[in-house]
Amino acid sequence: MAVYIIRRIFQIIPVLLGVSAAVFFMVRAIPGDPAQILLGQNATHAQVVRLRHKMGLDQPIVVQYVDFLKNAAHGDLGQSIVTGRPVTAELAARFPATLELTLFAMVIAVAIGVPVGVIAAVRQYSLLDKITSVFALTGISMPIFWLAMILIVIFGVKLDVLPFPGRLSAGESIPQVTGLVLVDSLLAGDFGAFRDGFLHLLMPAAALATIPLGTIMRMTRSSMLEVLGEDYVRTARAKGLMPWSVVFKHALKNAMLPTITVIGLQVGLLMGGAIITETIFSWPGVGQIAYESVYRRDYAMIQGVVLYGATLFVLVNLVVDVLYAVLDPRVRY
């Protein structure tokens, strides 16, 4: 197992190098001069030239990329031209908000998707199976921004039961320990802030969970249907085992293998979806800063955000591969 994990870790390096090269050269293909945008339309040509030299934008693009890799190897992803702060500091400040939103959305998707998928498979062709299939297809095909706006109109404006925007209501504050509002409010013993943070989290997390929920539900259903037709399941039933024991003890473990892979891949999709969700709900996470960075041609911040997303994605998939190997030792090649 240790050799397998080490081999998978070394496979991450070329992936991150490829992502860094792709994002570096693609970002510079975006129309617009960041120096001109930063100084404004009234800046003189000499001022723009001086700022371009200071930012290193007058160097050949290959030289810029090599310098970027050297600095990145030492943990320096450059400085944001908008805030003037190091990119790593900006990402560290925003990461807890995105992590809390993404994890909560995934908890919703898994907590609903897996059991409903199992029930739909056990009750194949029943009314419940048909309803869940329609619900899953609707969730996969529904744009996140549209659902988010519907949720805001219904629960935030008409019914006025869920607050927005942001992570806490005005006047609420908690000591920053982990950066996660729910965890920090519990650590501080402030249950009012916990309730407020939880209510703020519900709408953006529900909107973000829609796509992974439908995908997990469909994958669990199809995997369970395949496993329930295996000989060992029929043998377990023939031995007179209880139906719940056959489903949850014998079938579900093997049916979860492809579902776990899908859950890992969905984390990457949630990161992409978080850009839209965080922008709509004014959620102060990495997704919101990614949108602002593209709008302002903040090269260093765009590169940092993409590398952060790619690193998180490959690490999550590494965890998925390890879990896969634990559940099925045949994949330890």
Side-chain angles (χ1 to χ4, degrees):
M1 177 62 83
V3 175
Y4 173 73
I5 295 174
I6 293 172
R7 189 185 305 159
R8 289 286 292 108
I9 290 175
F10 276 104
Q11 290 174 356
I12 291 175
I13 297 175
V15 173
L16 293 181
L17 280 175
V19 171
S20 68
V23 66
F24 189 89
F25 292 107
M26 289 177 67
V27 161
R28 277 151 183 78
I30 298 176
D33 185 344
Q36 181 71 64
I37 294 173
L38 191 61
L39 292 173
Q41 295 299 323
N42 296 325
T44 64
H45 176 70
Q47 289 175 319
V48 174
V49 170
R50 277 198 300 272
L51 184 57
R52 284 181 58 80
H53 177 71
K54 182 180 178 182
M55 296 167 65
L57 298 176
D58 56 347
Q59 296 290 323
I61 191 169
V62 176
V63 175
Q64 293 181 43
Y65 179 62
V66 172
D67 290 340
F68 168 72
L69 288 182
K70 289 179 181 176
N71 294 329
H74 294 87
D76 181 7
L77 297 177
Q79 282 190 331
S80 168
I81 63 172
V82 176
T83 64
R85 297 182 63 202
V87 172
T88 50
E90 290 283 357
L91 291 176
R94 300 276 188 146
F95 176 69
T98 298
L99 178 65
E100 188 169 48
L101 175 61
T102 304
L103 287 180
F104 198 72
M106 186 52 77
V107 167
I108 293 175
V110 174
I112 298 177
V114 171
V116 172
V118 171
I119 294 172
V122 174
R123 305 293 183 191
Q124 189 182 17
Y125 303 131
S126 66
L127 179 61
L128 176 64
D129 183 24
K130 294 175 182 176
I131 292 174
T132 55
S133 296
V134 172
F135 182 79
L137 284 174
T138 304
I140 294 172
S141 57
M142 184 181 301
I144 289 180
F145 73 90
W146 184 82
L147 177 62
M149 295 176 69
I150 292 295
L151 291 175
I152 289 175
V153 170
I154 295 177
F155 296 102
V157 179
K158 298 291 184 183
L159 300 178
D160 194 21
V161 293
L162 293 178
F164 75 99
R167 304 176 71 189
L168 285 171
S169 298
E172 288 280 1
S173 64
I174 52 174
Q176 294 285 324
V177 180
T178 64
L180 306 176
V181 168
L182 299 185
V183 175
D184 288 349
S185 57
L186 287 178
L187 291 176
D190 190 341
F191 296 103
F194 177 84
R195 179 180 180 277
D196 189 59
F198 180 77
L199 293 177
H200 273 81
L201 190 56
L202 276 179
M203 273 201 294
L208 192 59
T210 309
I211 293 179
L213 171 60
T215 305
I216 291 171
M217 195 183 296
R218 285 175 61 85
M219 178 55 70
T220 304
R221 177 185 179 277
S222 61
S223 299
M224 280 297 293
L225 285 175
E226 184 177 343
V227 172
L228 288 174
E230 296 289 339
D231 291 340
Y232 69 90
V233 174
R234 284 196 288 268
T235 302
R237 285 172 172 160
K239 289 168 64 178
L241 295 179
M242 298 292 289
W244 66 267
S245 177
V246 174
V247 172
F248 292 102
K249 190 175 179 180
H250 294 272
L252 183 59
K253 178 181 177 182
N254 293 320
M256 282 301 292
L257 291 175
T259 304
I260 289 175
T261 304
V262 167
I263 291 173
L265 295 175
Q266 289 300 311
V267 173
L269 293 177
L270 284 182
M271 295 303 299
I275 295 177
I276 301 172
T277 308
E278 290 181 2
T279 303
I280 293 176
F281 288 95
S282 296
W283 193 263
V286 177
Q288 188 186 51
I289 202 173
Y291 169 80
E292 295 171 355
S293 302
V294 172
Y295 180 74
R296 298 177 178 179
R297 311 294 193 275
D298 193 343
Y299 287 173
M301 187 58 73
I302 296 173
Q303 292 162 185
V305 168
V306 175
L307 276 180
Y308 145 81
T311 304
L312 189 63
F313 188 81
V314 295
L315 288 178
V316 169
N317 278 277
L318 173 64
V319 173
V320 170
D321 287 345
V322 172
L323 287 176
Y324 214 109
V326 171
L327 294 173
D328 187 357
R330 292 174 298 177
V331 303
R332 296 177 201 170
Y333 48 85

